[in-house]
């Protein structure tokens, strides 16, 4: 944010000549998700040995999918209206996506800071086309959160400080994806079995009963990304990790952070019940893991429940 300064708030400074911004949304809830999917996802959080990957990241990398579709849209526009200057974005540049989306009528900012739409909830990606065309502005929509504060109450780490106020340093999505170093000790037990991202504030949101299924096969969950056992995911070598995450947003965190996140989840599983298989796997990371992984493995082993205690 410091590097790009006001380019985020001034589109023409990022792309000279920009006069208007076209915003778009792309629904990502997999077509295979059954009714009652929120309850199913909450139930999975109660299975400590299962690794939970955020819904948006279980299939193909959305950057690739949405950017390609925005490019196709711009090409079709040029074919109809003639050549014009443009550039497409999706979560890949200093662009205030949520602010642009709300100003253009895609929805309103929920108390969790995500964009909410009355017909689609929040389970969608945002993208933009910066253009040098003077287009008529669309109207924003009003806020429909009312007195509901379910997203604030459910946040595992209390990262949502109040309506529209998020402390990213406490957010599990930030900690498991963007944060490169050690995860703060006080937050590790709160992460549960979430190993890539967190959906809790979206799962509890009443507006997501209107979330739209995506017709695209791109967002169909890959093997291991939905219901994968932590011990199996931990066993992936770096080569296997790169193979299994090719074309996936998960690849960007790298193998080391992947292992770090899983090790924390295994430590939380040991807090629930002693498991010799988990202990053995963590001891293996103590012997062969990187310094970052070893430190988290040592913490995880220290979380062991008493094997003599009654179940």
């Amino acid at each position: 944010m410091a590097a790009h300064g006001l380019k985020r708030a001034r589109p023409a400074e990022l792309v000279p000549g920009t006069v208007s911004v076209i915003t778009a949304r792309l629904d990502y809830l997999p077509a295979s998700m059954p009714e009652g999917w929120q309850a199913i996802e909450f139930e999975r959080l109660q299975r400590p040995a299962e690794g939970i990957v955020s819904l948006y990241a279980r299939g193909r990398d959305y950057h690739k999918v949405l950017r390609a579709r925005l490019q196709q849209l711009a090409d079709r526009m040029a074919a109809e209206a003639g050549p014009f200057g443009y550039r497409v974005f999706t979560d890949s540049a200093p662009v205030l996506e949520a602010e642009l989306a709300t100003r253009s009528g895609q929805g309103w900012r929920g108390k969790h800071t995500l964009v909410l739409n009355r017909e689609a909830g929040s389970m969608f990606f945002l993208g933009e086309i910066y253009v040098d065309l003077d287009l008529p502005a669309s109207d924003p929509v009003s806020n429909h959160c009312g007195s509901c504060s379910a997203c604030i109450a459910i946040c595992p780490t209390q990262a949502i400080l109040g309506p529209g106020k998020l402390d990213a340093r406490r957010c599990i999505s930030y900690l498991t994806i963007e944060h490169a170093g050690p995860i703060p000790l006080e937050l590790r037990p709160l992460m549960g079995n979430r190993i890539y991202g967190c959906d809790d504030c979206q799962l509890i949101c009443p507006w997501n009963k209107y979330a739209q299924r995506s017709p695209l096969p791109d967002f169909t969950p890959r093997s291991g990304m939905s219901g994968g056992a932590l011990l199996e995911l931990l066993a992936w070598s770096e080569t296997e990790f790169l193979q299994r995450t090719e074309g996936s947003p998960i690849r960007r965190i790298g193998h080391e952070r992947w292992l770090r996140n899983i090790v924390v989840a295994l430590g939380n599983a040991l807090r629930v019940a002693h498991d010799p298989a988990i202990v053995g796997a963590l001891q293996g990371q103590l012997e062969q893991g990187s310094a970052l992984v070893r430190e988290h493995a040592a913490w995880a082993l220290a979380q062991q429940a008493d094997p003599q205690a009654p179940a």
Side-chain angles (χ1 to χ4, degrees):
M1 293 177 74
H4 296 292
L6 290 175
K7 286 183 178 180
R8 293 180 180 273
R10 299 174 180 172
E13 291 190 15
L14 179 63
V15 181
T18 298
V19 177
S20 304
V21 176
I22 300 170
T23 67
R25 86 162 200 258
L26 182 64
D27 303 316
Y28 65 75
L29 196 64
S32 59
M33 292 297 284
E35 291 298 323
W37 57 273
Q38 298 102 317
I40 293 172
E41 291 298 318
F42 274 130
E43 183 182 356
R44 297 178 64 221
L45 291 169
Q46 305 305 312
R47 300 199 284 265
E50 182 178 327
I52 305 300
V53 171
S54 189
L55 275 158
Y56 82 87
R58 296 177 188 176
R60 189 162 181 254
D61 189 344
Y62 65 95
H63 297 90
K64 301 176 185 295
V65 179
L66 184 48
R67 191 180 297 121
R69 296 176 75 84
L70 288 172
Q71 183 64 51
Q72 291 174 0
L73 175 58
D75 290 342
R76 291 179 62 185
M77 290 172 58
E80 291 289 335
F84 64 96
Y86 70 89
R87 185 173 170 187
V88 303
F89 297 102
T90 176
D91 194 22
S92 57
V95 175
L96 291 176
E97 292 192 311
E99 181 64 20
L100 289 169
T102 55
R103 292 193 182 197
S104 62
Q106 294 285 2
W108 71 93
R109 295 294 288 274
K111 293 178 181 177
H112 47 22
T113 76
L114 301 174
V115 177
L116 283 166
N117 182 286
R118 294 186 74 175
E119 288 78 41
S122 63
M123 312 301 284
F124 52 80
F125 302 119
L126 296 172
E128 302 77 34
I129 308 177
Y130 281 29
V131 300
D132 61 3
L133 304 173
D134 187 7
L135 302 176
S138 50
D139 296 324
V141 298
S142 56
N143 187 303
H144 295 282
C145 283
S147 61
C148 178
S149 59
C151 59
I152 298 175
I154 202 169
C155 179
T157 58
Q158 296 300 287
I160 307 174
L161 306 180
K165 296 180 180 180
L166 177 73
D167 184 348
R169 298 167 299 180
R170 298 184 64 84
C171 177
I172 293 175
S173 287
Y174 168 78
L175 292 169
T176 56
I177 300 172
E178 306 295 341
H179 182 60
I183 294 171
L185 289 170
E186 69 275 15
L187 298 180
R188 296 179 192 181
L190 306 178
M191 293 169 60
N193 55 346
R194 303 167 185 85
I195 60 173
Y196 189 96
C198 177
D199 288 328
D200 287 32
C201 63
Q202 298 193 87
L203 296 177
I204 200 66
C205 179
W207 285 107
N208 272 324
K209 65 184 176 183
Y210 301 115
Q212 301 293 310
R213 270 61 170 182
S214 172
L216 303 179
D218 302 85
F219 302 130
T220 300
R222 295 183 176 190
S223 175
M225 301 309 173
S226 181
L230 288 169
L231 287 177
E232 294 177 4
L233 301 177
L234 184 72
W236 289 359
S237 66
E238 184 169 12
T239 299
E240 188 172 7
F241 169 81
L242 293 174
Q243 290 174 341
R244 287 178 175 267
T245 59
E246 185 174 0
S248 161
I250 296 175
R251 197 180 212 195
R252 63 193 290 260
I253 70 171
H255 189 234
E256 183 183 50
R257 267 188 254 180
W258 175 251
L259 294 178
R260 176 202 64 183
N261 297 345
I262 295 171
V263 161
V264 170
L266 287 170
N268 289 327
L270 282 181
R271 293 165 65 88
V272 176
H274 179 77
D275 186 331
I278 292 178
V279 172
L282 290 171
Q283 289 174 338
Q285 291 301 318
L286 275 181
E287 298 171 1
Q288 63 187 23
S290 68
L292 179 68
V293 175
R294 290 199 306 272
E295 187 272 317
H296 287 76
W299 172 87
L301 285 166
Q303 309 309 303
Q304 292 183 71
D306 183 356
Q308 303 302 320

